[in-house]
Amino acid sequence: MIGDKVTVHYTGWLLDGSKFDSSRDRKDKFSFDFGKGEVIKAWDIVVGTMKIGELCQIVCKPEYAYGSAGSPPKIPANATLFFEIEGRHGDRVFDKRELRFEVGEAENYDLPPGVDKTLQKMEKLEEAVVYLKPSYGFGSVGKPKFQIPPDADLQYEIKLKTFEKAKEPWEMNTQEKLEQGAIAKEKGTQYFKEGKYKRATLQYKKTVSWLEHETGLSDMEKSQSRNLRLAAHLNLAMCHLKLKEYSQVLENCNKALELDSNNEKGLFRRGEARLAVNDFELARADFQKVLQLYPSNKAAKAQLLISQQKIREQHEREKKIWNWMQDAKKRLTRKTANRTAWRKKQKLT
């Protein structure tokens, strides 16, 4: 019907066989509102006769294409065009299920992140057809379980039958926040064990966000909140270490150490992050403090030796650079002196 959203893949050639445009080359489908004059006249006529998944080839006379004006620089005036149009890329149904899951957990059900993002914007009983680029689908890995190759475009038809809205933080009382914080922490730990570090960070961040500004707690609740936040920050630091996101490692270690200034894991992981970004002196200080507090920590002993070796190497490099600069300065002084003497000699002559 006029106004319907249409999505196609297409390739266009001139009659001499030269290709002037292709959505496939761009790896990006093209969408337009049917019958609204958003495309050349031939498309508004032909696409309306096509079925989903159909592939057709059309020859467009100039009056049904770009006419006497053409479309410089690729399409000359009065050009007849040849198009190949496909109404949908692939028509194999690879997944058909009725599921119930928490938003943000789609990956656990073999669903791509694009489905998760779509669901967050849908209303109850709404139906949607979603076209996903590889970055929102199964990416460069694909999904062997569904025989989806790497870098595949996907199409999902979704119907949101019902949902239960999760409580916002301000809608929860302290006990609910403590309970949900503990649940999120456990989920994060499970993701971490599975190597899903990004997903783990989302869960640990929930724990922190629910509890970090909570006030009016009893002594027992304060202790529970502190322990949960401390564990969440330490676990976030570990996740970010795995992801090589060192600034965030430092941020979470510092927050953990605000809660427990002598925390062994907080000091050690901050030392690791500092070592990774070549802050060797600060890294050494962290590992020394770990050993001062926990003398039996073998990993800290090993990292301390590495830090000290890096500091020595850095000093050697700095010494070489200093010596080179001094030699260069002496050479320049001698050169200047020789030039001055030569000029004086020329004047005397």
Side-chain angles (χ1 to χ4, degrees):
M1 301 294 291
I2 291 176
D4 283 354
K5 179 69 71 176
V6 179
T7 301
V8 300
H9 259 314
Y10 71 91
T11 303
W13 296 268
L14 299 176
L15 286 184
D16 63 6
S18 59
K19 182 167 59 176
F20 61 84
D21 196 12
S22 174
S23 63
R24 292 191 179 282
D25 291 347
R26 296 193 302 273
K27 296 183 178 179
D28 187 11
K29 294 187 180 79
F30 174 72
S31 296
F32 64 97
D33 292 330
F34 175 71
K36 294 288 187 177
E38 295 180 358
V39 292
I40 59 175
K41 190 184 297 185
W43 277 40
D44 264 341
I45 295 172
V46 172
V47 173
T49 71
M50 294 177 67
K51 297 178 181 179
I52 291 177
E54 182 179 356
L55 179 70
C56 78
Q57 298 175 340
I58 59 172
V59 178
C60 312
K61 293 183 178 180
E63 57 266 35
Y64 290 95
Y66 293 97
S68 59
S71 183
K74 293 185 177 180
I75 301 175
N78 298 311
T80 297
L81 307 179
F82 177 82
F83 279 98
E84 182 176 87
I85 305 174
E86 184 176 3
R88 185 177 70 175
H89 178 48
D91 55 1
R92 179 176 63 88
V93 175
F94 59 86
D95 187 11
K96 187 175 183 179
R97 292 176 287 165
E98 186 170 313
L99 297 171
R100 180 184 179 87
F101 61 93
E102 183 179 333
V103 171
E105 305 287 317
E107 185 181 342
N108 292 341
Y109 297 84
D110 297 312
L111 293 171
V115 170
D116 229 337
K117 289 183 176 293
T118 301
L119 284 167
Q120 294 178 43
K121 297 181 180 180
M122 292 180 67
E123 298 180 0
K124 185 177 179 180
L125 299 179
E126 182 179 356
E127 297 183 38
V129 179
V130 189
Y131 299 92
L132 304 178
K133 294 181 181 179
S135 57
Y136 288 96
F138 295 118
S140 59
V141 178
K143 195 72 173 178
K145 178 178 179 179
F146 297 139
Q147 299 178 355
I148 302 296
D151 299 314
D153 294 331
L154 304 175
Q155 175 182 315
Y156 276 85
E157 296 179 8
I158 304 170
K159 181 176 181 179
L160 181 58
K161 290 189 172 181
T162 188
F163 64 88
E164 298 170 11
K165 193 175 186 300
K167 283 188 176 181
E168 298 291 350
W170 59 84
E171 297 175 316
M172 292 190 283
N173 60 37
T174 298
Q175 195 56 43
E176 286 174 323
K177 289 180 180 179
L178 288 168
E179 291 172 358
Q180 291 302 312
I183 291 171
K185 173 181 165 291
E186 291 306 314
K187 281 186 179 180
T189 300
Q190 184 59 42
Y191 282 136
F192 182 87
K193 290 177 180 177
E194 295 171 358
K196 299 173 182 177
Y197 306 122
K198 286 283 188 183
R199 304 206 67 78
T201 61
L202 295 177
Q203 296 299 324
Y204 294 135
K205 285 177 181 177
K206 286 181 182 179
T207 300
V208 172
S209 66
W210 286 332
L211 296 171
E212 63 180 340
H213 301 301
E214 192 70 356
T215 57
L217 281 66
S218 67
D219 289 343
M220 181 179 290
E221 289 170 340
K222 283 180 182 177
S223 177
Q224 289 178 308
S225 174
R226 175 189 172 279
N227 291 339
L228 280 171
R229 286 183 290 131
L230 178 59
H233 283 304
L234 291 172
N235 292 341
L236 277 167
M238 194 64 205
C239 287
H240 290 304
L241 268 175
K242 294 288 188 181
L243 296 167
K244 302 185 187 305
E245 297 168 345
Y246 301 116
S247 64
Q248 294 181 63
V249 177
L250 294 173
E251 178 184 338
N252 280 283
C253 284
N254 287 335
K255 287 183 177 179
L257 292 168
E258 287 175 10
L259 295 167
D260 177 5
S261 60
N262 293 328
N263 186 273
E264 184 176 10
K265 291 179 180 178
L267 289 166
F268 183 80
R269 289 171 189 173
R270 187 173 70 177
E272 286 188 298
R274 286 172 165 173
L275 188 59
V277 297
N278 300 331
D279 284 342
F280 304 130
E281 298 279 358
L282 292 175
R284 179 176 65 180
D286 278 336
F287 296 131
Q288 285 175 334
K289 188 168 182 180
V290 171
L291 290 171
Q292 178 187 344
L293 297 167
Y294 310 96
S296 62
N297 191 317
K298 294 180 180 180
K301 289 179 183 177
Q303 293 294 69
L304 177 60
L305 291 175
I306 293 172
S307 300
Q308 292 171 333
Q309 178 61 31
K310 293 291 184 181
I311 289 171
R312 286 194 292 270
E313 291 173 358
Q314 188 177 50
H315 287 168
E316 285 297 318
R317 286 194 298 271
E318 291 172 352
K319 184 178 179 180
K320 287 180 181 178
I321 292 171
W322 171 256
N323 290 336
W324 180 86
M325 290 176 65
Q326 292 304 308
D327 289 343
K329 185 177 180 180
K330 289 177 182 178
R331 288 195 299 271
L332 180 61
T333 301
R334 286 197 301 269
K335 188 174 181 180
T336 302
N338 291 338
R339 185 176 297 170
T340 301
W342 181 82
R343 286 176 177 170
K344 288 181 178 179
K345 185 178 179 180
Q346 292 295 316
K347 287 181 179 180
L348 291 173
T349 302

